[in-house]
Every structure is written in C-alpha cells, then in structure tokens.
C-alpha cells in the first residue's frame, strides 16, 4: 500500500489508455459514464419524421413546432466494470491500439454470426445457436456502445488542443519551465481544472514556481476565472501541490535538484521509446512517462 502523497505527479498527467481517456473526456462517476442517449440509442425513423413534419408552425406554448422543449440533452449511464468482458480487455489499452482492437472484435462477432447463417444446420446445431442468442445480443450491445465511446474519446485525443496540453505536460515532467504556455492557456480561457493541474504539475516537477512568475500566474487565474480561485490556490499551497521558490542566485537551478528530478533520473521515469502497441513498460500509459508509484512497486 502506497500513500497518495508518495506520487503526486502522476494524477496531474493525462492518461492515454481507454479507461483513462473516458474519465478525462467524459468523466467516470462511481463506475458509470454518462453519454448522450442519441449516441447509444439513435432515434427511430418514425421519431425523425414526426420532428420534420412538426416544423414550421407554432405550438400552444409559444415555441416553434419541432423545437425541443428543453436544450438539455437526455443522457444514459453506462456501467464500466469487469462484469463486461470486452471492457475488461480494452480498458488498459493505449489510444493507438483500442480502435483497432474493437474493429477486430466486430469482425470476429460478424464472422461467428455468418458461420451459422451461411450453412445448413441440423436441429442440434440450431438448438445450440438459439441458446447463444442472449450472449450474442449482449456482446453486440457492449461492442456497439464501446465503439461509440471510443469514437468520442479518440476524436478528443486527436484535437490540436489536446496534443498541445500533452506536450506541455511532457515538457514539465522532463524538467522544463512552461510559464509562457501556462499564461497562453489562461488567456485562451482553458478550463480552470486543467489549468490548475498544469500549475501543480509545474510546481511538483520543477521544485516550485519562480516567485515572480508565480505571482503573475496567480493574478491571471484570479482575474480570468474569478476571485473564488484565490481560495483554491491557497488550499493547493497548503496541500503542498503549489509552491513558490525565490529568484535568488542559489535557486536558479532548483528544477534540476528538485526531489522529482532526482527520482526521474534514478528511476528512469521518462521512456519515450516505449511501444504503445506492444508495451513492455508502464510508461506506455502516457506515451513516455512511467508513473512513479509503478516504478516504486517494481523496485520493492
């Protein structure tokens, strides 16, 4: 058992596994993920026709016919646990792999169905197939759901903003100071949680943030996201996730001698050459950074 404080850097990094990206993009809550109901259960043709035929007039409540009563989309909760055999297989696969894996599962499922329909079967074989119909239906539904979810998270991972954040994280983990990039993200209106994660990562990996730049970044966060974030930053300081360091001559090389920098070198935390399609190292989870906790367990 490891205390979470032993490895505070890894939670600030963006995971690139199927499960990690689902949590990053959609959010996993108590083993469930909520997605748009239309994605999982597309509307019937009759519903589409009714929506089209109702357009053009006005309803009794002042809305135009065909306009939704509420802009809030209907969502459904899908369980994510090992009771789903397919999810158990794909949850830890890298973003470069899980799409191909799901395509292979779809082909295998189609082939198993065609093997029955393409040949004449005797009564015994038909009976065995009928018994497998509930399993086949359940597997087909699971596969369909995961393909839709994979398309969502893979699309998000291919966006330039996502790749830019990943590159910033990687640079910070390698000991670089990315103050200008942080200022640009704040000015661009990036989500507060993402900005705070990067701030904490910069502080943890670099032995703190230079005092003058820390004050400027703190001011930008409060002015952009609201005064209440001044309290959030204070709480992060108390938790040890944010720390300022002085701009004296003796602290200019603080990032190179920070505790994380020493661990990064001694435990070989950066492995950019790892093969995500056939990983032999924990660094594949973020395409090059091995979680400190995993390294400690390996060395135990």
């Amino acid at each position: 058992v490891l205390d979470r404080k032993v490895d505070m850097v890894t939670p600030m990094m963006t995971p690139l596994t199927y499960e990690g990206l689902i949590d990053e993009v959609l959010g996993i809550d108590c083993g469930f993920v909520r997605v748009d109901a239309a994605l999982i259960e597309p509307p019937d043709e009759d519903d589409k026709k009714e929506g089209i035929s109702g357009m053009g007039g006005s309803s009794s409540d002042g809305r135009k016919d065909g306009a939704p009563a509420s802009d809030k989309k209907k969502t459904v909760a899908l369980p994510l646990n090992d009771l789903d055999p397919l999810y158990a297989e794909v949850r830890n696969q890298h973003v470069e792999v899980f799409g191909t894996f799901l395509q292979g599962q779809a082909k295998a499922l189609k082939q198993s169905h065609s093997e029955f329909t393409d040949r004449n079967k005797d009564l015994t074989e038909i009976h065995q197939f009928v018994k497998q119909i509930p399993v086949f239906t359940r597997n087909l539904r699971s596969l369909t759901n995961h393909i839709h979810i994979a398309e969502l998270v893979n699309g998000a991972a291919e966006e330039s903003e996502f790749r830019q954040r990943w590159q910033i994280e990687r640079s910070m983990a390698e000991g670089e100071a990315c103050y200008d990039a942080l200022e640009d993200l704040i000015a661009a209106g990036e989500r507060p949680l993402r900005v705070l994660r990067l701030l904490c990562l910069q502080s943890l990996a670099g032995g703190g943030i230079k005092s003058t730049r820390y004050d400027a970044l703190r001011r930008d966060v409060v002015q952009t996201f609201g005064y209440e974030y001044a309290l959030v930053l204070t709480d992060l300081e108390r938790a040890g996730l944010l720390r300022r360091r002085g701009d004296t001559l003796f602290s200019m090389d603080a990032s190179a001698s920070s505790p994380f920098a020493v661990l990064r070198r001694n435990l070989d935390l950066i492995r950019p050459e790892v093969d995500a399609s056939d990983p032999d190292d924990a660094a594949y989870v973020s395409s090059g950074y091995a979680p400190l906790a995993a390294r400690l367990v390996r060395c135990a």
Side-chain angles (χ1 to χ4, degrees):
V1 179
L2 293 177
D3 193 308
R4 179 74 271 175
K5 292 182 180 179
V6 171
D7 181 13
M8 296 301 295
V9 171
T10 300
M12 307 303 164
M13 304 288 289
T14 299
L16 297 179
T17 59
Y18 181 61
E19 184 176 33
L21 283 172
I22 291 177
D23 189 39
E24 184 76 18
V25 176
L26 302 174
I28 298 176
D29 185 15
C30 298
F32 287 84
V33 60
R34 286 199 164 272
V35 297
D36 187 358
L39 182 70
I40 303 301
E41 301 174 356
D44 297 333
E45 291 297 327
D46 293 340
D47 296 337
K48 294 180 180 179
K49 292 179 181 179
E50 290 178 2
I52 295 175
S53 63
M55 295 175 63
S58 298
S59 62
S60 59
D61 59 358
R63 292 184 293 105
K64 287 186 177 181
D65 290 342
S70 173
D71 292 334
K72 187 176 180 179
K73 293 183 179 180
K74 181 182 178 182
T75 61
V76 294
L78 298 178
L80 298 176
N81 52 58
D82 285 349
L83 295 178
D84 181 354
L86 179 59
Y87 181 68
E89 289 188 66
V90 76
R91 66 187 304 176
N92 293 322
Q93 294 191 12
H94 192 270
V95 62
E96 296 179 1
V97 178
F98 62 68
T100 304
F101 172 80
L102 291 174
Q103 289 179 358
Q105 293 294 309
K107 292 180 180 178
L109 202 62
K110 182 179 180 181
Q111 182 178 359
S112 64
H113 181 265
S114 62
E115 286 179 355
F116 173 79
T117 57
D118 292 345
R119 294 185 302 169
N120 294 326
K121 300 290 184 179
D122 57 32
L123 292 179
T124 302
E125 291 174 320
I126 293 175
H127 179 68
Q128 290 296 328
F129 179 79
V130 171
K131 289 172 60 177
Q132 294 297 319
I133 287 179
V135 177
F136 179 86
T137 303
R138 183 169 63 250
N139 292 341
L140 179 61
R141 171 56 62 184
S142 173
L143 179 61
T144 303
N145 291 344
H146 285 298
I147 287 176
H148 289 320
I149 295 174
E151 289 175 347
L152 281 178
V153 299
N154 192 55
E158 291 179 349
E159 293 179 356
S160 59
E161 293 83 359
F162 183 94
R163 295 181 178 274
Q164 180 187 14
R165 286 200 315 275
W166 177 87
Q167 188 60 54
I168 293 172
E169 292 176 0
R170 178 65 172 275
S171 299
M172 290 178 176
E174 293 179 351
E176 297 182 24
C178 302
Y179 303 133
D180 293 339
L182 284 169
E183 291 176 348
D184 291 342
L185 288 175
I186 296 172
E190 183 58 274
R191 295 180 184 178
L193 178 59
R194 290 175 177 169
V195 171
L196 293 175
R197 281 173 56 179
L198 289 173
L199 277 172
C200 292
L201 178 59
Q202 180 70 82
S203 177
L204 292 166
I209 298 176
K210 292 174 60 175
S211 183
T212 53
R213 301 304 295 265
Y214 182 85
D215 291 335
L217 288 168
R218 183 185 179 94
R219 181 179 62 252
D220 290 344
V221 168
V222 173
Q223 290 180 350
T224 303
F225 303 126
Y227 67 90
E228 62 271 18
Y229 281 91
L231 301 176
V232 176
L233 293 171
T234 300
D235 289 339
L236 291 174
E237 290 176 356
R238 291 174 179 172
L241 296 173
L242 275 180
R243 184 171 69 86
R244 72 173 70 220
R245 54 182 170 86
D247 295 330
T248 64
L249 176 64
F250 302 100
S251 64
M252 295 303 291
D253 197 31
S255 61
S257 59
S258 69
F260 181 77
V262 176
L263 292 170
R264 181 177 63 239
R265 292 192 299 270
N266 294 341
L267 296 179
D268 192 23
L269 297 182
I270 304 298
R271 293 284 303 277
E273 71 281 0
V274 65
D275 184 5
S277 61
D278 185 21
D280 58 356
D281 191 274
Y284 87 96
V285 297
S286 60
S287 290
Y289 167 76
L292 174 57
R295 283 289 193 262
L296 293 174
V297 171
R298 191 184 69 174
C299 295

